[in-house]
Amino acid sequence: MALREQLSQLILSDVDGRRYRPGTSCRGRSANETNFCVDTCLSSEVPDSTFQHCKEVCICHTWHREAADILMCTFGVASLCACILVFCADISKRGRRSSRTGTQSSCLRWSNGCNFYNSLYYVAYAVSDSWSPLWDESCGTGIQDLFSNQCHQAGGSPMCFLNCCFFAVPWLEFFGYGSYLWNIMWLLDLARFTLKPLAPEKVLGIPLIVFYHTATWPLAALVAFDINGARLTTNVCREARIVMMPCILRRQNMEGDLPWFHMAGFAVIGIAFAIMVFRYVNAGQLLGTAARRSQEGQHLLLQVRRYLRKQWLHFASLVFCSILILVDTSRECKDDSFSYLTSIGFAGLGLFLSLDRLVAVVRDRGREDAGPLLQESQGLGLQSTELASPRAGLSRLHHSSSRLHHSMSTSIQGAEGYRLLDFSGLLEQLIQYLRDEELQLGQQLQLLGKGLEPKQAAEAQNAILRSSACLDDNPEMQWDWTISAGSDTALTVIAPRSFVYLRRLCGVDGQKLLAELLRTNVSELRSAAKSGCSLLLSSDNTTFVLKTISRSEVKQLRAMLGPYRKHLEHHPNSMLCRVYGCFSFKNSLGYFLHAVLMNCLTGMPAALAEHHLPAVDEVGEPSIFDIKSEFQDGGFRSRFPGGLNCSGSSWPSDFEADLTFLASLGVVDYSVLLAVWQLPDELGRALENVDLPSGMSLQRPQSSGCFQLARMGIIDFLVHWDVRKRTESALKRTCLHPRHTERVTIMDPETYKRRQLAFLMAMFRNTA
């Protein structure tokens, strides 16, 4: 028995006089004895009597310190290098297209930042412990003692503060959980994007990434520091249950906690995985109906499957690390090979979660190298699909529809190809609907033309269309038309009777509109900067704009459709944007995409082309200003500090009538869209003798300068002054502009109208 005690003492005793060898951890047999075991029993000099007491009240165990240091350093350095490479890759490709959405990329960038600091600790700990062993000795009770003599004793490591509980545990928890939560936010956004790829990445006008920040950092801080920051003191920290530190560093003197956040994260992972799998399988089933799908539709379905496959590497890495952390924390902490295996999920978190990012960079580089070839093939595709004349007959349109009526470039990849899928389906069914409508209207006109002059037949048809549109004024007689395309998708045409009349009232050439829809390339879909909605302009930048809207805006348009029609009838020179149609497309998952078809206010009106004006081809792109108030004028005052001298005697009264109409409907948050062209002198002088369309004015040059042509219209007038907007206005007045409430964008309808009218009347002086 005495021999056994001597051997035990020889094993535990260190060569420098310490009672325990480096790598030994101690904890009390009862909770209130842990501080004594760590502060006293592991110190440099322990009297025999004290040491005997240590053996009675403490449980001490010597771990394989060298093995732990090698493992932590290896995976820590690999993770650190991977995080740095991802940082460099993000900087180098800033401004370029990414295979992920902006919000998803931001989530992964913040996760990478957390992984960087998390890996940095493991590297610093392993290097310091290998150079001079770190000891679980007292570091004081506060941060002020971080570099004091209590932490750095003679013969110890000057980096011993890395082993202090209040320094190591809270920050490892903070950055470890920060990384995990940012990946959960990425999964949430991925599930959202999978269901609704064209939904704006905003809520109440606030980017989604702001909400993700609001959720991630407080949750990570709450877990890491406790509610009152108690974990930043040594005594409290030693008794805390922790998660984001591996067993081989906890070494039994700290208890692992069941990671409830990880369990909740697994639920999110499971839901997101189910949504992704359902969409992936659904896309494969739709590919099986190739006979009913256009070539670009099949191409987009393939892109959906490719996009989802690219997410699975990062998804699998996240699941792998989460399982390792969960197993390491929940099992009994032992000095066995399994503890060393599960520890790589902590130090290697940055490595595993960076693999997908680095692979994506390599793929993007390969795609960029193949870019010129893809652009050449794209040009050939566009040339082969473009219609020769925008006024081609319906028979030619019918034959052209079998080709790529909105050519799809093979260079579309990742999230960009995914988000085009539903919009492509919407455009495809919209073209089919308008084609059938033009055929029906043509047949109706032929029947009415028997015995009547062509002009009389057209007037008779307009009267019939107007009478049909009036039926929608009665809520009980409103009618929408749903067109099913098999069992997977459907297009709902909102108020078809009203909009067919409105298109006729606005002088829309149905065949030209259809021709431009066929010619338009859906890959040119872009996002509006402010609202986050998606816009598709016609190829001539004149005929139409197809814009996505929310469900609430569809309801608002439905409610104001009758008054809107009557207002345009009584004010033919109204500056309100002309809405040609409203459509709801149900995708194969059962979710809806809503869009409006309207005229384009940033292009030269087609009416000017009838005058055969000179030097039209020399006109460049216009300067565009989105004006909501004098505080949000889109840069108009900086460009034109003296305002504009506009010709035309009726536009002020027309503009005021439009604003009064919108205020009577309780509409807010609309904008005045202004496009200004710099004209050649020859064209400017020719336009002086032309009656310009409504909303357009010509600014004559003074002593020097050139002619300026301005086109103005009111857009985005589908937001009602409801509870949501009242709340947004109150929050902005309280939080953003408490001292200058006039700077708040959203005001009540009457105030919004007066502010808009006063600003524009001051900046646009009538010279008629």
Side-chain angles (χ1 to χ4, degrees), residues 354-617:
S354 297
L355 284 177
D356 172 70
R357 309 284 307 282
L358 297 176
V359 170
V361 170
V362 174
R363 289 173 177 170
D364 291 341
R365 292 292 184 185
R367 187 164 63 249
E368 289 175 3
D369 294 339
L373 180 60
L374 292 174
Q375 291 177 2
E376 182 180 355
S377 63
Q378 178 183 3
L380 293 174
L382 287 172
Q383 182 178 2
S384 65
T385 58
E386 189 171 301
L387 295 179
S389 172
R391 296 186 176 275
L394 287 177
S395 60
R396 183 165 186 177
L397 294 177
H398 176 74
H399 292 299
S400 300
S401 64
S402 60
R403 298 180 294 175
L404 302 181
H405 52 258
H406 46 290
S407 173
M408 185 59 53
S409 167
T410 56
S411 63
I412 296 176
Q413 301 289 337
E416 183 182 4
Y418 190 110
R419 64 192 295 271
L420 292 180
L421 179 66
D422 290 343
F423 204 92
S424 175
L426 166 67
L427 190 58
E428 192 173 286
Q429 294 195 26
L430 173 59
I431 290 173
Q432 183 62 43
Y433 162 72
L434 292 177
R435 179 187 295 113
D436 295 341
E437 182 184 84
E438 283 297 308
L439 289 172
Q440 293 175 4
L441 290 176
Q443 293 172 358
Q444 184 186 56
L445 189 61
Q446 289 180 358
L447 293 175
L448 294 174
K450 294 180 179 179
L452 294 176
E453 296 292 332
K455 184 177 180 179
Q456 294 176 334
E459 292 175 351
Q461 188 180 49
N462 288 341
I464 294 173
L465 295 178
R466 186 180 185 280
S467 299
S468 299
C470 291
L471 295 176
D472 286 329
D473 295 344
N474 187 348
E476 297 180 356
M477 302 187 68
Q478 292 178 352
W479 173 65
D480 297 334
W481 187 15
T482 300
I483 308 169
S484 298
S487 60
D488 51 348
T489 61
L491 178 71
T492 299
V493 184
I494 308 298
R497 297 175 300 195
S498 293
F499 281 112
V500 69
Y501 169 68
L502 282 172
R503 288 195 290 274
R504 186 63 61 89
L505 178 66
C506 299
V508 176
D509 186 335
Q511 293 189 16
K512 180 180 179 181
L513 175 62
L514 189 55
E516 287 298 329
L517 285 167
L518 285 163
R519 181 182 293 123
T520 301
N521 189 352
V522 73
S523 63
E524 297 175 357
L525 184 72
R526 58 185 177 87
S527 296
K530 291 184 178 180
S531 64
C533 64
S534 298
L535 300 171
L536 180 66
L537 275 66
S538 58
S539 58
D540 61 357
N541 291 330
T542 299
T543 306
F544 72 86
V545 173
L546 190 59
K547 175 186 175 183
T548 60
I549 59 175
S550 64
R551 182 176 177 81
S552 61
E553 289 175 315
V554 173
K555 293 181 178 179
Q556 176 61 26
L557 179 58
R558 198 70 165 86
M560 64 181 290
L561 197 52
Y564 174 74
R565 185 191 72 247
K566 295 175 183 177
H567 181 78
L568 293 184
E569 290 175 342
H570 292 95
H571 298 83
N573 293 327
S574 170
M575 293 186 181
L576 292 177
C577 180
R578 303 307 195 262
V579 182
Y580 299 153
C582 182
F583 311 93
S584 294
F585 176 76
K586 186 186 76 170
N587 67 11
S588 56
L589 296 180
Y591 287 87
F592 285 88
L593 169 66
H594 310 286
V596 289
L597 185 68
M598 55 190 184
N599 69 322
C600 181
L601 298 177
T602 58
M604 288 285 189
L608 292 181
E610 300 175 356
H611 296 279
H612 304 288
L613 299 170
V616 174
D617 296 336

Side-chain angles (χ1 to χ4, degrees), residues 627-670:
I627 304 173
K628 287 184 179 291
S629 69
E630 61 178 308
F631 305 105
Q632 293 189 18
D633 62 356
F636 174 74
R637 284 186 302 178
S638 61
R639 178 71 180 276
F640 302 101
L644 290 176
N645 297 319
C646 299
S647 61
S649 58
S650 64
W651 74 264
S653 59
D654 293 332
F655 186 71
E656 184 173 4
D658 291 336
L659 295 186
T660 302
F661 166 70
L662 295 178
S664 67
L665 295 177
V667 172
V668 295
D669 205 20
Y670 47 85

